[in-house]
Structures are given as structure tokens and as C-alpha cells.
Amino acid sequence: MNALLRAEGVGKSYPLRGRRVDVLREVDLTVRGGEITALVGHSGSGKTTLLHILGLLTQPDSGRVVVEGADGPVDTSGLGDDALAGLRRRRLGFVFQSYNLLPQHSALRNVLLPYAGRRAEGEERARTLLARVGLAERADHLPGELSGGEQQRVALARALVNDPPAILADEPTGNLDTDSEELLLGLFRELADEGRAVLLVTHNPAVSEFADVVHRLERGALVTSETQRKKGSAK
Amino acid sequence: MNVFSLALANVLALRRRLFGLVALVSVAAAVCLGALGIAGRAQGVTDTGVKESNANRSITVDRPADRPGTAPLTDRTAARLAKLPHVESVQHRAQVSFGVLTDAGDTVLLYATTHRPALTPPITKSVREDLFPLRPGEIVTPATSQGVDLSALVGQDVETETTRFVRPGEGTGVTGHARLVGVYDPTWQLDNPDAAYAADPTVIGWAAQRSGEPEKNYLATIGYDQLTVVARTAADVPEVTEAVQRLGYPAVTLQQQLDALPAVLEMIRVVGQVLLGVLGVLAFVGAVTVTGALSRQRAQEIGILKAVGFRTRAVLTMLVVEMAVAGAVAALLGTVLGALLGSVAAALLRGSADLAPYVEGWVLLPPPVTLLLLLALTVLVVAAGSLVPARRAARMSPTDAMKDW
């Protein structure tokens, strides 16, 4: 399976009380299409920082991130804000723990938000995606009128609106009940089966057990990498 | 998703939070438009009523007394002047002194004057509505002259005394009668302070009698003492004046005196301009404050937009368009409010007899071009005010903007 997202020797540190704290040290990580990759670790281990770096939201202090672009691999080091925004929009989809939907807009408009295709086809695509996540009837509802699980599925539909090859999710089930968690993991599995790369940051054992590949971060370093090969094992 | 449609949707969704800005700008715009509307209407009335009045288009031509080669102010001269470019009409004036004897025994020395339609005096009391043209034997005098109140004599026959030529430097008095049919405001002194208007045959007859010239020859030999050349427009006055002067006649205009607008109109115009400046400042400060506050409140939203791929410029455009739309709504509301405000103010001003002629009509707004420019300016100022805080917000990194993931 091809590598859609790659961190090579990534390092990151933050200033804290007059000295620098290394959050990530020389991390190499590859996220492949067709797999669910879980990134696990204790709080403060650097997994969210690594997700931000892989999602091109934060620049690493050292190393580089390579994204599989439409015309081949793209080394993102040195790219400007606009180029990074373009890659985020077309090649990556994000799902956040607290959903991060715009509260003043309907589910449909939230899904359409990053849409970069033809205007006339946008609404149809957004409705198709809402139907796929089981929310066809809730398209015109505001986020505040939806449950947590439903909001997270709207967020997943938004992540897919530009048909990106990679989905990055930060604690996507952190605020969900068990039923919603199972539903969402099933959707992630479908996406992986379509050939997309799915990267989940989690400290939830149920989620990590569900992944095909699990990477563990400890004190900013990738200490283990195990392949579980549990494809199709959604609970 | 299109940034403009997103901005429009945001304005709709955030209308309550934008209410303060819209209310502030629309009220400021309304006050400004109302004041400018009233000042504009008054200016318009002044332009048509004063600037383009006959008096303001008049050029007074005097006898060429010290220019022997120049023809006197006869009917032929009047016809010649009437053919000059941009001349609408030529009106004549003859003037001769006479006395009015009152019952109290006072004699008031006046100047019998032919009436020129271009320079009709302001009548304050009369026996009929339309006094002019006067009938033979009728006179109109100042309300007071030389300390004598002549207004009490309106409607009465008064005794007059004119002069008959005996020999050069000597004349004899002739007693007659005239009917005083009206008096005018004595501050009107365009035909001298003691002018008394009378019908043309009366004045010419008295003037011929005083000069010793037969009445039938008087206008051809001695002629009028003054002609009034009325230009087609106020703008033509300088050119016509020069043309008359080139013919050898002393000519002066009233235009300079009438160019000064009534002070109250000037004051309203200045107030309108000051309010316009205040509107600009209010709109700008309002936009800066509201955009800054909204950007802080919406930091997470901005972070989300950037995380899902919105470029800095797209976020900036969205925020500025939102403010521009709010500014446009405020400008339109301000126009409606301004029309209402202007109408109410005009209704109040119409209560003053002096101001009523200057506030005709019910909807007092500036002319369409000025109005459109003001509306566009309001939108621009609001958008410009939002630029700096919007730029600061748009340049935030997505991770800084979204503290709570």
C-alpha cells in the first residue's frame, strides 16, 4: 500500500518557563492508504502535536512532512501558508474531538464549507455524504440541534467533501457514547477499505485495537510500531 | 464554498451581534442625510429663487453723461442692447422728483420712478393683490420716508407737487393729485431710498414737464435715466456686462450682492458636512470595534476555516465582506430613516414663515448621485474600518485560533 503521508525525522519543541521542552524527537512515521493507523500515548506524549504537523497545521522545527499530492509526493517544508492551505483542503480531511462545526450554519452548510469543486455539484455531494453517514434527514439542522455522535458524523462528512486520500482524526470518539463510537469506527473502516489513509490519535484502547497499525509515542519519541491487521474487525 | 455566500450567510446568522454596528451607522447616516437633504433643498430653492432671480440676472445701465459720443438711453438703445448675446430682455427706468403733501402739512420729497418687472419692490400694504402695472395717476411709495409714515395713506388721494420748466435753472410748482395704492418695505433701495413707483405715462409726463421738452419728444431726445438688461442666466451676467460696457455705457450688476447666501442656509450646509465627518468617524470606529470583538469571539471559527483549507486572503475577504454587507444594510436603513427625519424636520421648519419657502416638499434627501456616493462611502468606510482587525484575525495560525480542539 502506498504512503500517503510521511513524517521524516520530525522534531518540535516549545518554550516553557525559560527553557525549551522537546515535544517530538526525530519521529519517522508513514501513514498508508487502505489502513487505519492509530497513534497512542499518554497525555503530553506529543501525539496531538504530531497530528498537527502531519496535518500541516504546525510546522516542525526539524525534519519534514511529505504529502502524496495529485501529481506525486510533495515535500511540504518551505511551503507558504497558501500552499499548505491548498494541500489541507484537497488532500487532507480533519475530524476533531469537539467536532468543531460552525454553530450558526446548518449541517449541510458545514459539510459544504471546505468544498472546492464546482458550485453546482457541491450541494448534491454534501447531501450524498450526509446520507452516507446516516444524516440525510438532518441536513438542515443546526449543530446545536444534533447529538454529539451526529455532530461528529457531520464533521466526518465535511472531512470527505473534497474526496481527500487521507483522514486525520484527533480523539474522534472522545466525546461519544459506545453506540456512536461503533458507528463512527465503522465509517472509518469503510474509508480505509476505499483506499484512504485514516490516522486516529487516541488514548482509547477500543479504538487502538480497531486500527490496522498502532504507533506509540512516549516523551516525544516513537517507541513501538505494531501491525495488527484487523481489517474488517469493527465491533 | 464561495466566500461571498458564506459571508452573506454569516451576516444573517450573526445579525444580532451586528445590530449595534448597524444601528449606530444607520442613525448617524440618517441624521447626516436628513441635514444634507434639508440643506440641499434650501440651496436649490436659493439657486432658483435668488441666484436665478431677475434681480440677480440684472445689469443696470446708466446714462452716459460724460460720454458725448454715446447715444442716450432711448428706445432705440434699448432695442440695440436687447440684441446682444445672452440677453433676455431690456427694461427701462425714468425718474423725476416730486413732492407729496400730507394732511399734517408735511411735504415728502420723492422720486417718481417707472416700474421694471425685473426689480419689483417688496410690497407691504396695498389696495389690491397685483399692483403692477400701475394705472395712470397711481403711485406706490416707501412705507416711511423722511420720518413720515406713508402707509396710513394707502387707498387715499394725495396732493402732489411737480415742477414745470420755466428757463434753465428755474421752475415753478404744479399741484396735482395721485392715488397712493401701495407702500413697500423701505429697506428696498434699488431705485434710490425715496423712489415712488408710478405708471410710465405719469413719470414721462412729469419728467418732460420738468425738462421743458415736449412729452412726445422726451424719450427720443433725453431718454430714460437707466436701463436694466436682464441676462438669460446668472452665469451670463459677466459676459453681458462686458458687452454693454464695450458699447460705452456704465454698467453694474447686483449679482455680487446676492451671491452671499442667507447665513442660516450656509450654517445648515456646514452642519451637514460636519455630520458627514462624524458619520465617517463613527462608521470607521464602529467597524474597527465590532470586527475586533467579533474576531476574538470567532477565533475558533476562523481556526476551523483555516484548518479545513481556507487561505488567509479568503478569511480576510469573508470578514471584510461581512462588514461591508452590514454597512450596506446600515446605509439603506439610514436612507429610510433619513427621509423620515428630514420630513419631520422640514415639517417643523415650515412652521417658521421665514424658513418655509426653503423646505418645500416632503421627502428631503440629497440628489440621487450624492445619495449613491454617500451610501457607497458608508460601505467603504465600514469595510475599511474592519480591515485591520480582520487582517489580524485572518493571519492567526489555525492551532493558535483553535485553542480547544
Side-chain angles (χ1 to χ4, degrees), chain A residues 35-39 208 211-215 225-229:
Chain A
E35 287 181 348
I36 296 175
T37 303
L39 194 56
S208 56
D212 303 312
V213 181
V214 179
H215 294 285
S225 175
E226 52 184 276
T227 303
Q228 301 180 144
R229 296 297 173 207

Side-chain angles (χ1 to χ4, degrees), chain B residues 53-116:
Chain B
S53 67
N54 281 341
N56 201 38
R57 291 185 285 127
S58 295
I59 298 134
T60 302
V61 183
D62 287 316
R63 273 181 177 149
D66 56 348
R67 299 177 190 182
T70 308
L73 301 179
T74 60
D75 284 330
R76 183 177 292 181
T77 304
R80 188 178 174 202
L81 295 178
K83 287 178 184 167
L84 290 174
H86 313 300
V87 171
E88 185 179 278
S89 65
V90 176
Q91 298 165 19
H92 56 260
R93 189 192 79 172
Q95 203 167 52
V96 61
S97 62
F98 75 107
V100 168
L101 282 69
T102 67
D103 293 342
D106 296 319
T107 300
V108 182
L109 182 64
L110 298 170
Y111 291 89
T113 307
T114 55
H115 167 249
R116 289 169 290 178

Side-chain angles (χ1 to χ4, degrees), chain A residues 48 52 57-58 81-83 85-86 88-89 94 96-105 109 112-116 119 158 162 170, chain B residues 1-2 5-6 9-10 13-14 17 298 300-314 395 397-399 402 404-405:
Chain A
T48 294
H52 289 179
L57 296 168
T58 303
D81 284 349
D82 283 354
R88 282 199 300 272
R89 186 168 207 166
F94 289 91
F96 306 105
Q97 179 176 359
S98 49
Y99 329 128
N100 282 343
L101 301 176
L102 301 192
Q104 70 269 30
H105 296 305
R109 200 179 282 276
L112 270 170
L113 211 56
Y115 182 65
R119 199 173 170 183
R158 180 180 67 189
N162 285 322
D170 189 6
Chain B
M1 187 177 180
N2 182 291
S5 57
L6 180 62
N10 278 341
L14 302 170
R17 281 195 257 177
R298 296 168 68 192
Q300 193 173 17
E301 176 185 337
I302 291 165
I304 294 167
L305 292 174
K306 296 198 78 172
V308 300
F310 274 62
R311 294 178 178 178
T312 299
R313 192 183 306 163
R395 286 164 68 96
S397 82
T399 46
M402 289 196 301
D404 176 22
W405 290 70

